[in-house]
Amino acid sequence: MDSLHRRIVALADLHGRTRESLLPILQGVVEHENYLSQKSMVEISKELDLPAAEVFGTATFYSFLEHRKMGKFTIRVCKTISCSMKGKNQILLAIKEMLKIDIGQTTPDGRFSLVETNCLGWCHKAPAMVINHEVFTELTPEKVREILGEYLKKEL
Amino acid sequence: MIEQHLLLKRVDFIFVQDTDWEKILQKSIQRPKQELINELISSELKGRGGAGFPTGLKWKLTSEVESDEKYVICNADEGEPGTFKDREILTRVPYKVLTAMAVCGFIVGAKNGIIYLRGEYKFLEKPLNEAINEFSYFCKKINLDFTVKIFMGSGAYICGEETALFESLEGKRGEPRNKPPYPSISGYRKKPTVINNVETLAHTYTIFKYGAKKFYDLGVQYSRGSKLFSISGDTPKPGIYELELGMSLSDFVDEFGDGDTKAVQVGGASGFLVPRKKFHETAIGYQGKLVGISLPTGGSMMLFNSSRSMYNLLDNYLEFFREESCGQCTPCRIGCQQLLAGIKAVKKGERPAPYLNKLLKLSETMQFTAKCGLGQSVANSFASIVENFREEMIY
């Protein structure tokens, strides 16, 4: 039994093996693996006795359940109207320049992935972004560089 | 008609901290259920998520259905662009929402409550769970059989639609169901379900605490009580404000505008854009007998000044809808794509200006044929932007 399989069994033990447990299990895998590989989705389908297509169909519906390989820290920059008006593009530019990646890409060391996302619910403190689940608001390019600097110090 | 509109009035119910929730819960569950329902009905509270269904009636309908299992669900999938009030309620006064859920459970005969929390608010899960633990401890103490748990969403705007939310809770893609049957008959797990927005529940707490009259005395005609407004965009004071319903948009802009307000988006991307020339004839509330236009809103108010391009605004909304459409029904899936491609083509000159009329027709078709509120409401912002700012779409 490899570690992924063990993780999925543990998640199924925790949340149950009914269809209703599927989302919490998918979320649990993303929490640890950063994304849902095909292998993990197949393993989950076996564990819950569901068709793999059902698992794949559900997983790909939700934007936070990434199914492409992602870095340890996924940066999601809000692109909806208020953030877009208040300088989202400068924020993106600062991130791209600092990490040398484009939207949809991951740094070669697997530390950061950069994506855009829809309304995060911080319009009064725009522009906003989340890194995994941590929220950052009222961003400026300087502030972004500082935040990423802190994340660069974290262990991989 | 202006006389009928209220001047802007700040009120403070929702965010007032109190330590009375235990008392209110205990007192409420000793009252006759019918009396509680009548209290809610006479307050004329309507759903604060945006759709505006009378809350008392919703609870009454669910209470009348015979079933061994029922559910109370708090809809915290706050995804409408420009809305952020529910997050603040759950951060600052979670016990009001939990109390309201328990009273609702008592009235309709449900033992289980679920808070569907959007994935973007994951950071709220821990503090909210702490509040739930304290709350459950008290429920046990007074022998009230009611539990609440949190279910995390994973980033899908459509899951704020109640039947899509049920699908998601059941571990599926968040694709809306056909209605009827309505949730009061067949909701989560096909069981009778009350599903309310976070703010709606918080208002019922106010009503149970102070009585219906105090709530009803605020507002006008069919728009009673107060409402939280999430204010953003070109304003010197963005934030969350509780205001009495029924104010005119010109008063609102006088208070929150930056002196150069060109247009206000009422109700988020699925709402309406109101241009400056119509501020004075627009009121904020549910459509009633007021002369002029009444616009309901889930609380999203976005202000734009004259430096903003209304084309960019519409482009941003349509991209949002194209990505968030669940793809289940054709009018919405294809419609959103075509509207976006259409305005881009007109802007670039690849299509003649009258092509906008065809696009308006398409949005109208979506309004009549899309399966749920998402596809149906794309026409709101589309038509109000294209009709009021046609030149900006072309040049």
Side-chain angles (χ1 to χ4, degrees):
Chain A
M1 225 163 47
D2 60 12
S3 69
L4 176 67
H5 186 72
R6 271 201 302 277
R7 172 114 50 221
I8 288 166
V9 172
L11 282 166
D13 287 341
L14 177 68
H15 298 292
R17 286 175 169 75
T18 61
R19 178 69 195 251
E20 290 195 359
S21 327
L22 181 56
L23 269 178
I25 292 174
L26 291 170
Q27 289 162 352
V29 172
V30 172
E31 200 71 34
H32 288 101
E33 312 278 322
N34 310 322
Y35 79 113
L36 292 159
S37 61
Q38 282 208 10
K39 189 179 168 211
S40 68
M41 288 191 268
V42 171
E43 291 276 351
I44 293 170
S45 73
K46 283 183 193 156
E47 197 57 38
L48 300 192
D49 196 20
L50 281 172
E54 286 283 329
V55 175
F56 188 76
T58 305
T60 52
F61 187 83
Y62 297 91
S63 66
F64 278 25
L65 301 176
E66 295 287 350
H67 49 281
R68 296 160 303 155
K69 194 166 172 42
M70 301 296 274
K72 186 174 168 70
F73 304 111
T74 299
I75 306 167
R76 292 187 166 86
V77 180
C78 179
K79 64 169 177 181
T80 306
I81 189 68
S82 294
C83 288
S84 168
M85 280 164 48
K86 304 275 171 170
K88 176 226 32 161
N89 282 340
Q90 281 96 295
I91 302 306
L92 273 178
L93 196 65
I95 301 173
K96 286 179 186 175
E97 277 178 357
M98 185 161 170
L99 302 180
K100 319 265 185 295
I101 51 171
D102 215 330
I103 296 165
Q105 294 180 339
T106 300
T107 52
D109 62 356
R111 185 182 289 271
F112 293 107
S113 294
L114 175 62
V115 290
E116 285 186 300
T117 190
N118 282 327
C119 192
L120 290 169
W122 291 94
C123 323
H124 57 325
K125 295 184 174 175
M129 67 175 182
V130 289
I131 301 182
N132 290 352
H133 298 302
E134 202 175 347
V135 179
F136 300 94
T137 60
E138 293 171 299
L139 296 170
T140 58
E142 298 78 53
K143 213 166 149 185
V144 164
R145 281 189 283 270
E146 224 170 89
I147 294 163
L148 293 183
E150 288 302 312
Y151 271 84
L152 277 167
K153 288 182 206 151
K154 295 197 182 194
E155 234 174 280
L156 258 192
Chain B
M1 45 151 282
I2 296 300
E3 299 75 28
Q4 284 175 297
H5 295 158
L6 293 165
L7 289 173
L8 215 60
K9 195 175 143 198
R10 295 277 287 276
V11 278
D12 206 359
F13 281 123
I14 295 217
F15 292 125
V16 172
Q17 294 289 343
D18 71 27
T19 48
D20 299 340
W21 66 269
E22 296 176 337
K23 251 190 337 215
I24 288 164
L25 178 57
Q26 218 163 357
K27 237 172 63 188
S28 298
I29 60 171
Q30 280 157 8
R31 290 171 68 184
K33 294 174 185 178
Q34 198 54 49
E35 192 187 303
L36 289 163
I37 289 179
N38 289 342
E39 182 101 56
L40 264 191
I41 290 176
S42 62
S43 75
E44 292 194 16
L45 168 64
K46 291 177 180 173
R48 293 295 195 241
F53 190 83
T55 308
L57 182 60
K58 194 182 256 190
W59 292 19
K60 182 170 185 271
L61 290 171
T62 313
S63 74
E64 285 166 352
V65 184
E66 292 273 341
S67 174
D68 51 340
E69 240 184 300
K70 295 183 187 178
Y71 296 96
V72 178
I73 292 174
C74 168
N75 186 344
D77 193 53
E78 183 179 45
E80 188 64 49
T83 316
F84 38 85
K85 66 192 172 67
D86 293 340
R87 184 198 70 225
E88 203 68 7
I89 296 173
L90 291 173
T91 306
R92 285 162 63 183
V93 288
Y95 57 88
K96 291 191 180 181
V97 177
L98 295 170
T99 304
M101 288 176 79
V103 174
C104 176
F106 163 73
I107 293 173
V108 305
K111 293 187 174 63
N112 296 298
I114 302 170
I115 299 173
Y116 187 99
L117 187 64
R118 69 188 302 227
E120 288 84 344
Y121 294 168
K122 174 89 177 167
F123 62 91
L124 261 178
E125 192 184 17
K126 200 170 156 244
L128 198 50
N129 262 325
E130 283 162 14
I132 290 173
N133 287 343
E134 191 192 336
F135 179 78
S136 303
Y137 180 76
F138 181 72
C139 286
K140 264 196 206 113
K141 213 169 91 183
I142 59 168
N143 285 321
L144 179 67
D145 186 7
F146 190 75
T147 60
V148 181
K149 64 170 188 177
I150 300 174
F151 189 95
M152 289 305 306
S154 259
Y157 169 71
I158 189 60
C159 289
E161 198 281 340
E162 53 192 19
T163 60
L165 189 151
F166 300 146
E167 291 288 305
S168 181
L169 277 177
E170 291 174 13
K172 297 177 224 156
R173 292 165 70 86
E175 293 177 346
R177 300 172 182 168
N178 282 322
K179 285 196 264 191
Y182 292 97
S184 51
I185 310 274
S186 171
Y188 173 51
R189 294 179 174 168
K190 308 275 183 293
K191 300 288 183 188
T193 305
V194 171
I195 176 162
N196 279 133
N197 170 259
V198 177
E199 185 191 344
T200 311
L201 289 164
H203 281 298
T204 68
Y205 180 91
T206 307
I207 292 164
F208 292 135
K209 181 169 176 181
Y210 298 109
K213 189 171 181 308
K214 189 143 179 176
F215 186 85
Y216 182 84
D217 283 348
L218 295 171
V220 288
Q221 291 209 348
Y222 298 118
S223 307
R224 293 292 172 180
S226 57
K227 168 98 195 69
L228 288 183
F229 289 91
S230 310
I231 298 167
S232 69
D234 295 315
T235 165
K237 38 184 176 184
I240 299 159
Y241 298 84
E242 187 170 355
L243 304 171
E244 188 170 358
L245 273 178
M247 74 248 185
S248 87
L249 197 53
S250 29
D251 288 338
F252 176 86
V253 170
D254 284 347
E255 177 72 26
F256 292 101
D258 61 358
D260 184 28
T261 307
K262 173 181 177 179
V264 179
Q265 182 80 23
V266 181
S270 67
F272 297 84
L273 185 79
V274 184
R276 186 186 286 149
K277 63 174 187 278
K278 291 183 183 162
F279 287 169
H280 68 284
E281 57 180 36
T282 305
I284 304 302
Y286 307 101
Q287 190 65 50
K289 287 178 194 142
L290 287 173
V291 189
I293 313 154
S294 275
L295 291 181
T297 165
S300 171
M301 303 290 280
M302 297 187 285
L303 296 94
F304 306 105
N305 67 24
S306 59
S307 74
R308 306 296 177 185
S309 147
M310 296 299 108
Y311 171 83
N312 287 348
L313 186 67
L314 184 57
D315 187 290
N316 190 285
Y317 292 165
L318 289 174
E319 192 176 309
F320 174 83
F321 284 126
R322 188 193 60 183
E323 286 174 11
E324 297 294 345
S325 168
C326 81
Q328 178 187 198
C329 77
T330 313
C332 178
R333 183 184 65 246
I334 307 289
C336 291
Q337 292 169 9
Q338 290 304 320
L339 289 180
L340 181 58
I343 62 160
K344 281 185 194 293
V346 171
K347 188 76 178 176
K348 280 190 204 143
E350 292 165 5
R351 291 273 187 182
Y355 188 66
L356 287 172
N357 300 337
K358 277 193 174 175
L359 296 176
L360 281 166
K361 270 274 205 230
L362 172 60
S363 75
E364 200 182 311
T365 304
M366 290 166 68
Q367 194 169 12
F368 289 116
T369 56
K371 185 169 173 176
C372 80
L374 192 157
Q376 290 162 11
S377 62
V378 173
N380 296 349
S381 49
F382 189 83
S384 59
I385 294 173
V386 170
E387 280 164 4
N388 288 307
F389 295 97
R390 200 180 171 91
E391 334 69 62
E392 289 194 37
M393 300 302 121
I394 304 164
Y395 307 110

